[in-house]
Amino acid sequence: MASLTGHTAKVLRTSYQKSVAAYWDSEQAPVNLRLGEVDGLYHHHYGIGDYDPSVLEGPEDTRDRRVIEELHRLETAQAEILLDHLGGITAQDRLLDAGSGRGGTSFMAHQRFGCTVDGVTISEYQVGFANSQAEERGVADRVRFHFRNMLDTGLRTGSRRAVWTNETTMYVDLTELFGEFSRLLEYGGRYVCITGCYNDVTGGRSKAVSRIDEHYTCNVHPRSAYFKALAANGLVPIDVVDLTAQTIPYWELRARSSVATGIEDPFLTAYKEGSFHYLLIAADRI
């Protein structure tokens, strides 16, 4: 990781942000890389939908490949449902992928809409990886990735038709984050979030949710915090979708795969006991 001088020091403002950046700068998990190698779309999120049980059957020597391909299909399906909720995007629109990882959803958005996409992440490694992908795909003039903090992007006020976060909000203060998104969005623009959040009704973080926090160096928010922070920043929900039941099959298949990391059991426990929810929230800027 580069020394914390100049631009780097400005982007990484706290010790916690530095620790998160260091985690993602060194992250080389097969669960991300091997799945991305299937078709060149590298995701940093989870999947939704039922898996095809036939991938666990058939010849043993090709079983692992079948499972990897199926996990990747479920992750891509998750990104597709996020894009479905962005509204009427045109090729003239500019979008922001906040916490863009290795760029998978950004490339999918450009492919679907023909729009311009900027991605921001505090991982310099991820920026380099994603920009290399953009060059290889021949879309570097329309899909660009930047080493910037999503709490302070430096992008022009009102310049975005849509903004999304895909499993990144657990790393930041929501009121500060949604204030920045409200500034960036034009009137009537759309923000879409997919996130895990703990269930206020169960009374705080469960043991399983605390294990998720520890594993990813994150701080999962309660469900209520999202709606309070949205309302405080002129972002009005138009659609809320509970994806919890739809994500459980992904975790069940991943637990039986060669790319399991050991965090599968806490996710499955938290979802099934009701202490953790997987939500999609779409909100309009007013």
Side-chain angles (χ1 to χ4, degrees):
M1 186 175 173
S3 61
L4 296 178
T5 59
H7 183 55
T8 301
K10 182 178 180 181
V11 172
L12 305 178
R13 301 184 301 185
T14 67
S15 296
Y16 174 66
Q17 290 173 1
K18 294 169 190 174
S19 69
V20 171
Y23 175 90
W24 289 110
D25 279 339
S26 61
E27 187 275 329
Q28 297 290 318
V31 73
N32 293 319
L33 293 173
R34 286 193 61 199
L35 272 61
E37 290 167 359
V38 171
D39 62 3
L41 284 173
Y42 290 82
H43 298 303
H44 279 280
H45 56 74
Y46 310 128
I48 58 170
D50 292 329
Y51 66 84
D52 181 353
S54 71
V55 302
L56 296 170
E57 304 164 358
E60 183 66 25
D61 61 336
T62 59
R63 177 182 181 274
D64 185 58
R65 176 180 56 78
R66 295 193 303 272
V67 171
I68 293 296
E69 290 176 351
E70 185 68 354
L71 287 170
H72 184 66
R73 183 185 69 83
L74 298 178
E75 288 190 339
T76 299
Q78 188 263 33
E80 293 284 9
I81 197 171
L82 186 155
L83 297 178
D84 288 345
H85 284 79
L86 288 178
I89 304 300
T90 71
Q92 286 70 48
D93 289 324
R94 301 183 68 89
L95 278 55
L96 173 66
D97 183 352
S100 47
R102 289 184 172 95
T105 309
S106 292
F107 295 123
M108 289 174 63
H110 172 71
Q111 184 175 13
R112 182 190 287 205
F113 304 117
C115 58
T116 298
V117 183
D118 287 285
V120 297
T121 171
I122 60 173
S123 167
E124 291 181 274
Y125 161 75
Q126 289 181 344
V127 171
F129 186 100
N131 278 326
S132 293
Q133 289 288 104
E135 291 284 354
E136 291 176 16
R137 292 171 173 272
V139 297
D141 60 328
R142 301 284 282 172
V143 185
R144 307 177 186 90
F145 300 91
H146 314 274
F147 176 56
R148 298 186 187 181
N149 194 316
M150 63 181 174
L151 297 174
D152 181 17
T153 63
L155 299 172
R156 182 168 52 84
T157 297
S159 63
R160 305 292 135 168
R161 178 62 193 170
V163 176
W164 73 81
T165 52
N166 201 350
E167 298 178 12
T168 61
T169 51
M170 61 287 298
Y171 288 103
V172 295
D173 178 86
L174 293 179
T175 300
E176 190 176 359
L177 180 70
F178 295 162
E180 174 68 352
F181 293 168
S182 183
R183 181 187 71 81
L184 291 171
L185 285 167
E186 63 184 54
Y187 181 81
R190 176 71 53 84
Y191 167 59
V192 178
C193 169
I194 294 184
T195 190
C197 52
Y198 75 78
N199 185 358
D200 302 82
V201 176
T202 58
R205 289 177 180 81
S206 65
K207 182 177 180 180
V209 172
S210 295
R211 288 183 62 190
I212 293 168
D213 275 345
E214 182 180 2
H215 183 85
Y216 289 109
T217 319
C218 66
N219 184 32
V220 170
H221 300 292
R223 181 178 59 188
S224 61
Y226 283 88
F227 299 96
K228 291 176 182 176
L230 289 168
N233 288 285
L235 295 166
V236 179
I238 189 170
D239 205 1
V240 179
V241 183
D242 183 357
L243 299 172
T244 306
Q246 294 182 57
T247 198
I248 288 174
Y250 164 86
W251 287 100
E252 291 176 334
L253 181 61
R254 179 168 148 173
R256 302 177 65 178
S257 75
S258 64
V259 294
T261 63
I263 198 61
E264 291 78 16
D265 283 346
F267 270 93
L268 286 167
T269 297
Y271 285 139
K272 291 180 178 180
E273 73 185 6
S275 67
F276 196 47
H277 292 152
Y278 196 49
L279 293 187
L280 181 150
I281 305 168
D284 288 342
R285 169 73 168 92
I286 62 167

